Amino acid sequence: MSRLTSRHRILAIDADHPAGWGRVDTLSVEEPLEIRVGGEPYTVTMRTPGHDVELAQGLLAAEGVITTLEDVRTARYCAGSVMDDATGQPVNTYNVLDLRLAPGVEVPRERLRQVVTSSACGVCGTQSIDLLRTQVPWDLHADDVQVEAATVLAMPGALREAQKVFSSTGGLHGVALFDASGRLLVAREDVGRHNATDKVVGWAMQQGMRPARGTVLFVSGRTSFELAQKAAMAGIPVLAGISAPSSLAVEVAQEVGMTLIGFVRGQRMNVYTHPERIILPG
């Protein structure tokens, strides 16, 4: 069984089986990832294993620690805390990742986290919300990309088809990056929307898409301030989601020049900021 999923026997109760019946359910795996920078602890986040380097690079980029892929010299897994029963030696659990930054690139002291980040909380552990208002290095107002409304409306279905693990577990968030024509560039799944977003941003950085001009970031849930900030730091001009945006996400999008779209469901959607990028029919 893949580390992405695990199987567990459960008691299922429904209208046809009020007394319950036993079956095996497939669960999404959630494991901790300790991210170190230069051998020093940076943060611990709960995530779905896989694409960990993308996650770490995307997180550091979102928080303004790195700007380009060249800012990261190496990324390697370290031996974890689990001991082999036979030898007593540390075993590589692939849950500890150390990134070495290029000369002259350092983590500001105020960026160091002091607590574990859960798969849901996104920015837990930062010392103040003011640190999240990192100056966006790109002028999103200058990105003149336009996207047809019908293209945006088709994105939930495209993302759903790309969520292979969600199909068997129902327990993962999905985030995808599309070009203006609606072509799916990459999709990532994780127990946390923030982790999935970091993985997508890390992938884009590895492809030389920094900034990711002319793209649309689509998320499977609500669009929070943290996701708007991550998209802005990646140079993504359009952010859309199936659910509602927060008020702070709207404020950030309006300020930095990002088109923010919510409630993309069926044949409806709400465009909250910079609607000039959306091409309407007729």
Side-chain angles (χ1 to χ4, degrees), residues 79-257:
S81 59
V82 177
M83 298 296 176
D84 182 83
D85 292 337
T87 66
Q89 298 299 313
V91 176
N92 195 333
T93 61
Y94 298 97
N95 284 334
V96 182
L97 183 66
D98 185 29
L99 286 79
R100 300 281 171 168
L101 303 183
V105 181
E106 298 181 353
V107 179
R109 180 168 297 276
E110 64 270 16
R111 280 290 180 190
L112 296 177
R113 297 167 180 243
Q114 302 299 321
V115 300
V116 172
T117 302
S118 77
S119 58
C121 70
V123 296
C124 301
T126 51
Q127 295 183 15
S128 74
I129 196 169
D130 290 338
L131 292 178
L132 295 175
R133 295 188 178 276
T134 306
Q135 183 177 359
V136 177
W138 328 109
D139 182 10
L140 297 185
H141 293 89
D143 194 320
D144 59 0
V145 64
Q146 289 191 304
V147 185
E148 292 188 3
T151 297
V152 178
L153 292 173
M155 289 179 180
L159 173 57
R160 179 67 180 80
E161 290 183 5
Q163 289 188 257
K164 304 304 182 184
V165 181
F166 179 87
S167 297
S168 60
T169 68
L172 292 182
H173 291 287
V175 175
L177 192 67
F178 295 87
D179 67 13
S181 70
R183 181 171 63 98
L184 177 65
L185 301 176
V186 66
R188 293 289 183 256
E189 297 179 276
D190 201 280
V191 288
R193 286 175 298 118
H194 306 88
N195 292 341
T197 301
D198 286 335
K199 291 177 179 180
V200 168
V201 171
W203 176 90
M205 179 179 290
Q206 291 180 2
Q207 304 306 308
M209 300 171 63
R210 182 76 175 171
R213 298 192 185 279
T215 60
V216 180
L217 186 71
F218 195 90
V219 300
S220 64
R222 69 184 184 89
T223 48
S224 63
F225 162 69
E226 296 95 336
L227 296 187
Q229 189 256 358
K230 289 176 185 292
M233 291 295 291
I236 298 171
V238 183
L239 172 61
I242 292 176
S243 193
S246 70
S247 60
L248 194 53
V250 173
E251 290 179 23
V252 169
Q254 183 64 43
E255 178 182 345
V256 303

